[in-house]
Amino acid sequence: MSADLLPSRRIRTTGSGAGSRSAEEMLVEAPEVMARFADGSPQLPPVPAEPGR
């Protein structure tokens, strides 16, 4: 979306992407998140293969 459109619209964006948490909050949680990845505990849904691959 063009940034030119935003000032003229009443748009509120929310979500779990960048900007939904402060940098300070992410830094506080980073060690726990990294530890979970290191021990293999995150369970992510499988990504379907693309047709023809």
Side-chain angles (χ1 to χ4, degrees), residues 4-52:
D4 296 338
L5 296 175
L6 296 178
S8 62
R9 305 285 190 277
R10 289 186 178 197
I11 297 174
R12 180 180 175 140
T13 56
T14 61
S16 58
S20 64
R21 308 209 62 186
S22 70
E24 291 81 14
E25 289 173 313
M26 289 189 279
L27 287 173
V28 167
E29 294 181 11
E32 181 182 344
V33 171
M34 290 188 291
R36 287 183 181 180
F37 276 99
D39 70 14
S41 63
Q43 298 296 312
L44 305 174
V47 177
E50 291 183 32

